[in-house]
Structures are given as structure tokens and as C-alpha cells.
Amino acid sequence: MSEERKKTNIILFSGDYDKAMAAYIIANGAAAYDHDVTIFHTFWGLNALRKDDKMLVDNKSTIEKLFGRMMPRGAKRMGISKMNFGGFGQKMIKDVMKKHNAMPVEDLIEMAQEQDIQLIACTMTMDLLGLKKEELIDDIVYGGVAAYIGEGEDGAINLFI
């Protein structure tokens, strides 16, 4: 009788670099332990999935355009949760990470995709913040709460970050 694979499910709500890094380290570690892993990105956690490049997208309201300008484009532009000091704290932590050969979040995201970790972008939050699919990285899944609940109900590990 074959054993069913364990599931690890993570809700990434935070838009902080260090919290996104923790989520992706846990996700990649769980995948290495042969878990099926899902990361559901909602609210500020969606910034980890944004493309780095500035994009001109049609049909955005003024508020949606403002959200787009105020939110960081991509994981490498996200601030850290404590001691950010106007972006200087993030530079310091990245220097320390480089010194210790720790992977930056953008590389952890790429590794997650290589390990077939399911990255879900919350469509309700995308609508609220005015984010369009073309503004997010390729090879992700789009879904609402039902998509997360469908994955999360059988999870051996469920985390909210």
C-alpha cells in the first residue's frame, strides 16, 4: 500500500522581505522532504510575485495606479519587517546573506517553481489592489479562497506568514 504524500500549505500575507524569505525557505525544505507544497499569496504577499519591470497596463483606475506605484515591484524590492531604516536595513541583511551564501528571495522563488511548488495568486486581492496577470511572474496559478481551502484542508502543515 503506497503512502500518500504529505501536504504543506502556506498563506503568504506579508509583504516583508524577511517573512517572504522564511515562507520560501520552509516551502523549499518541505518540497525536499517530498511534500506537496502550496503557497497562497494574498494582499501584500502578492508583491513577491510581481515582475521587477515597470509595466504599463490599460484599464486601471487612479487608485489602482497608485497602489501599483506604492507597492514594491518584485521580491528584491520588498522591505524588511524590522529595522528597515528607509531601505538601508534591507541592504544590510542582503549583505549579511551574501556573506553567508544564503539565497535571496527571488532565487528561492525560482527554486520553488523548479520543485513544482504551487504558487497561487489570490484573485480577489488582485482585483482589490488592481493587479493584472501580466504584472505577475509566469507559471503561477490564479485562484480565490476556495483554491487555498481545497489545498489546505488536507495539509499536514498549515502556516500563515
Side-chain angles (χ1 to χ4, degrees):
M1 181 187 245
S2 68
E3 190 175 310
E4 193 172 313
R5 288 178 66 174
K6 292 184 179 177
K7 283 186 162 186
T8 296
N9 303 291
I10 299 169
I11 296 174
L12 182 56
F13 176 85
S14 176
D16 296 323
Y17 186 89
D18 48 326
K19 292 178 183 180
M21 185 168 74
Y24 275 92
I25 288 170
I26 293 166
N28 282 301
Y33 274 92
D34 206 31
H35 284 216
D36 287 326
V37 182
T38 299
I39 304 177
F40 183 78
H41 300 76
T42 190
F43 285 90
W44 316 120
L46 280 170
N47 291 322
L49 298 179
R50 288 186 76 193
K51 290 178 180 172
D52 294 334
D53 300 326
K54 191 174 189 177
M55 304 193 72
L56 294 174
V57 180
D58 294 332
N59 302 324
K60 280 196 168 196
S61 70
T62 302
I63 297 275
E64 292 170 338
K65 289 176 186 175
L66 284 172
F67 270 129
R69 287 188 185 126
M70 292 188 299
M71 295 185 308
R73 285 187 317 274
K76 66 181 163 188
R77 290 190 175 95
M78 294 165 58
I80 59 174
S81 61
K82 304 285 184 210
M83 300 181 292
N84 195 37
F85 305 124
F88 187 68
Q90 186 212 47
K91 183 186 177 337
M92 287 177 13
I93 196 73
K94 284 185 174 183
D95 287 346
V96 169
M97 288 169 55
K98 189 174 183 177
K99 180 180 174 186
H100 293 280
N101 296 315
M103 292 178 76
V105 176
E106 50 274 20
D107 290 351
L108 291 168
I109 293 169
E110 189 176 309
M111 178 188 281
Q113 290 182 304
E114 290 169 2
Q115 293 197 83
D116 295 324
I117 291 173
Q118 186 175 45
L119 307 180
I120 302 176
C122 178
T123 51
M124 183 197 75
T125 304
M126 288 175 65
D127 290 343
L128 290 174
L129 300 178
L131 290 172
K132 308 296 182 200
K133 288 181 180 182
E134 57 266 28
E135 295 178 89
L136 303 181
I137 63 175
D138 297 330
D139 301 320
I140 61 174
V141 176
Y142 299 91
V145 169
Y148 173 75
I149 296 299
E151 291 295 322
E153 66 186 349
D154 295 326
I157 300 170
N158 289 289
L159 303 171
F160 183 91
I161 300 174

